[in-house]
């Protein structure tokens, strides 16, 4: 698996604070998937629609999975789901519904997350919340699906 983690945060991009949500996603993936990952990288971008969309487009041929963290809330600057939806050719609504539904069991505030999931050609993209706890929780939820998602996208079937 080739995985890119994109942290969407103005403050982390400017170096105001350390990117802990992207780091916990990578740590969790590496621990749970060990030898199934051939490449894992992280990029930090600001909460800017055009930059998020361009980053997705620039990396769609290099990765099987792109996980974003941050920018899924209710503020004016939270535009990650919009950029992701415009990038994707097909929505995978069941994944975003599943992440929200399970996360709500842990905290009611997960109901405010607007995360999106979809595919563009051979890459699957999913939005996680920007909180460390939410990012780690969603990572653990999606790990069992990743290999099957990649197989389905590549036309390898069930």
């Amino acid at each position: 698996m080739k995985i890119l983690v994109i942290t969407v945060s103005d403050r982390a991009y400017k170096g105001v604070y350390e990117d802990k949500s992207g780091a916990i996603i990578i740590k969790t993936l590496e621990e749970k998937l060990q030898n199934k990952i051939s490449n894992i990288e992280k990029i930090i971008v600001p909460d800017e629609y055009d930059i998020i969309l361009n980053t997705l487009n620039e990396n769609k041929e290099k990765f099987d999975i792109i996980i974003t963290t941050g920018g899924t809330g209710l503020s004016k600057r939270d535009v990650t789901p919009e950029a992701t939806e415009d990038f994707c050719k097909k929505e995978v609504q069941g994944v975003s519904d599943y992440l929200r539904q399970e996360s709500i069991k842990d905290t009611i505030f997960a109901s405010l997350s607007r995360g999106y999931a979809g595919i563009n050609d051979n890459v699957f993209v999913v939005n996680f919340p920007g909180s460390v706890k939410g990012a780690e929780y969603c990572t653990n939820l999606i790990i069992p699906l990743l290999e099957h998602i990649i197989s389905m996208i590549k036309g390898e079937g069930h």
Side-chain angles (χ1 to χ4, degrees), residues 41-59:
E41 296 180 27
K42 181 177 82 166
I43 297 173
I44 302 173
V45 300
D47 288 282
E48 295 287 345
Y49 172 90
D50 290 340
I51 294 173
I52 298 165
L53 185 59
N54 288 339
T55 302
L56 292 169
N57 277 309
E58 289 167 3
N59 289 284

Side-chain angles (χ1 to χ4, degrees), residues 12-110:
Y13 181 75
K14 292 176 184 172
V16 174
Y17 72 74
E18 180 184 354
D19 168 31
K20 294 182 180 176
S21 60
I24 196 69
I25 292 169
I26 289 174
K27 180 181 181 219
T28 305
L29 290 169
E30 288 177 335
E31 286 174 359
K32 304 271 173 92
L33 294 174
Q34 293 178 349
N35 59 356
K36 295 179 182 181
I37 299 174
S38 61
N39 182 31
I40 191 162
E41 296 180 27
K42 181 177 82 166
I43 297 173
I44 302 173
V45 300
D47 288 282
E48 295 287 345
Y49 172 90
D50 290 340
I51 294 173
I52 298 165
L53 185 59
N54 288 339
T55 302
L56 292 169
N57 277 309
E58 289 167 3
N59 289 284
K60 71 180 180 181
E61 303 294 327
K62 302 175 197 171
F63 297 94
D64 304 306
I65 307 282
I66 298 176
I67 299 171
T68 70
T69 177
T72 62
L74 304 178
S75 81
K76 290 179 183 179
R77 304 258 326 134
D78 290 328
V79 295
T80 304
E82 289 78 11
T84 304
E85 183 174 3
D86 288 347
F87 169 77
C88 290
K89 295 179 179 178
K90 293 183 182 179
E91 182 178 14
V92 186
Q93 186 175 349
V95 170
S96 50
D97 289 348
Y98 165 67
L99 294 175
R100 252 186 305 281
Q101 184 178 50
E102 291 301 310
S103 297
I104 287 169
K105 294 176 183 176
D106 186 57
T107 175
I108 190 133
F109 295 106

